[in-house]
Amino acid sequence: MSISALLPRHIAIIMDGNNRYGKANHLGKGQGHVAGKDALDPIVEYCVDTGIEVLTVFAFSSENWQRPPSEVALLMQLLASTIHEQMPRMHEYRIRLRFIGDRSQLSEELQALMADAEAKTADFTAMTLVIAISYGGQWDIAHAAKQLAQQVESGKLRAEDIDKDLLGEYVQLADAPAVDMLIRTGGEYRLSNFLLWQSAYAELFFTQTLWPSFAVDELSAMVAEFAQRQRRFGKTSEQIVTEQQTP
Ligand code: M2E
């Protein structure tokens, strides 16, 4: 098996634990998110250096709108300032920035900032960094279904021609490789409506580490574990048993 077959092409991260980090470190309200914002930079650099094609992070979920209004407002502020601050780094590392999620829920100002960031980095090829904002896996699938339904309604498509491959062309990130590794920090064992369709065959990784404390060493250990799992996957269970019996 070649080394590239053992390396994930697409890593997705649920960056959970910011608020608990803030409480544990006696930070002010919402300051855990500020700490969380800085944790991403070394992770992005590791992924570029390792040759990961796509890194997708869950910045704000469909369900996060139900958080206290003050926290939602702070997160929106933080998203806007982060996108702004990240632009020089995107140019330096030649990273293409993309956003997925229901943009209609966001302010015109934030929507414009996102569109501008995507346009300015569209030709970069070192890696694609995808930020999920106002994103939910169920929204994503429903949104794709609605587009197919509209084609049926207008007579461009027959219902009987809808299958998983066609629906898969209409979900977010249809042009990217499927998620190979899905990581959740912060100690919960849930997918929380993240990339449901795209993670159908993903290897799952969970850690107690709160997002602001998540560092490259731990990610690198997970990528090594991913390679081990792929190695086993490439063999039959009989081969694995034989291997364990041979000292
Ligand atoms: C992020 C957004 O909790 C969020 C606060 C803002 C920063 N963040 C976590 C992000 O996910 C935009 C870019 Cl360009 C990068 C990271």
Side-chain angles (χ1 to χ4, degrees):
M1 206 185 273
S2 68
I3 188 73
S4 62
L6 303 175
L7 195 67
R9 295 177 68 191
H10 186 172
I11 299 179
I13 310 182
I14 301 172
M15 307 181 294
D16 194 20
N18 287 343
N19 278 329
R20 275 171 287 153
Y21 178 93
K23 285 201 181 96
N25 292 278
H26 312 288
L27 305 180
K29 210 160 179 272
Q31 292 306 298
H33 292 299
V34 177
K37 168 179 142 147
D38 297 328
L40 191 59
D41 290 357
I43 299 298
V44 167
E45 281 159 36
Y46 166 85
C47 288
V48 172
D49 292 346
T50 308
I52 305 300
E53 291 171 49
V54 185
L55 173 65
T56 302
V57 298
F58 210 178
F60 192 90
S61 74
S62 306
E63 290 72 26
N64 285 158
W65 290 111
Q66 291 152 37
R67 298 247 175 132
S70 61
E71 187 180 345
V72 170
L74 175 88
L75 280 167
M76 288 298 140
Q77 275 295 309
L78 220 46
L79 284 169
S81 62
T82 307
I83 295 167
H84 203 73
E85 285 166 23
Q86 286 290 330
M87 288 310 285
R89 290 171 47 79
M90 298 297 111
H91 278 84
E92 182 186 347
Y93 289 95
R94 317 308 282 175
I95 297 169
R96 176 169 66 149
L97 198 54
R98 287 183 59 186
F99 300 93
I100 57 170
D102 184 3
R103 299 184 192 213
S104 69
Q105 303 289 309
L106 306 171
S107 72
E108 293 289 340
E109 190 191 354
L110 188 54
Q111 287 186 43
L113 190 59
M114 288 158 61
D116 185 58
E118 287 179 325
K120 286 185 171 138
T121 62
D123 295 330
F124 295 157
T125 56
M127 189 180 76
T128 301
L129 174 60
V130 182
I131 315 292
I133 302 178
S134 193
Y135 177 84
Q138 294 173 335
W139 165 83
D140 189 352
I141 296 166
H143 180 256
K146 189 183 282 184
Q147 289 177 73
L148 291 182
Q150 282 163 348
Q151 290 187 29
V152 171
E153 208 169 48
S154 67
K156 276 186 259 174
L157 178 68
R158 297 184 310 174
E160 66 204 67
D161 291 334
I162 297 175
D163 59 14
K164 70 173 173 60
D165 291 331
L166 186 62
L167 189 60
E169 287 175 25
Y170 287 83
V171 296
Q172 308 278 294
L173 303 179
D175 54 346
V179 174
D180 295 305
M181 280 181 77
L182 177 64
I183 301 170
R184 182 176 188 138
T185 64
E188 307 281 358
Y189 300 93
R190 290 191 291 275
L191 298 182
S192 294
N193 200 17
F194 196 26
L195 297 159
L196 299 178
W197 184 281
Q198 299 83 349
S199 302
Y201 297 99
E203 293 287 343
L204 308 180
F205 292 81
F206 298 94
T207 173
Q208 297 297 316
T209 307
L210 304 177
W211 171 252
S213 302
F214 189 72
V216 164
D217 281 357
E218 196 172 0
L219 175 58
S220 154
M222 286 175 175
V223 169
E225 162 68 16
F226 175 86
Q228 285 304 312
R229 292 189 200 177
Q230 294 306 106
R231 249 186 249 282
R232 292 194 287 267
F233 188 67
K235 294 175 181 174
T236 66
S237 53
E238 273 183 325
Q239 283 176 301
I240 302 288
V241 172
T242 313
E243 203 171 50
Q244 284 165 348
Q245 284 167 344
T246 314

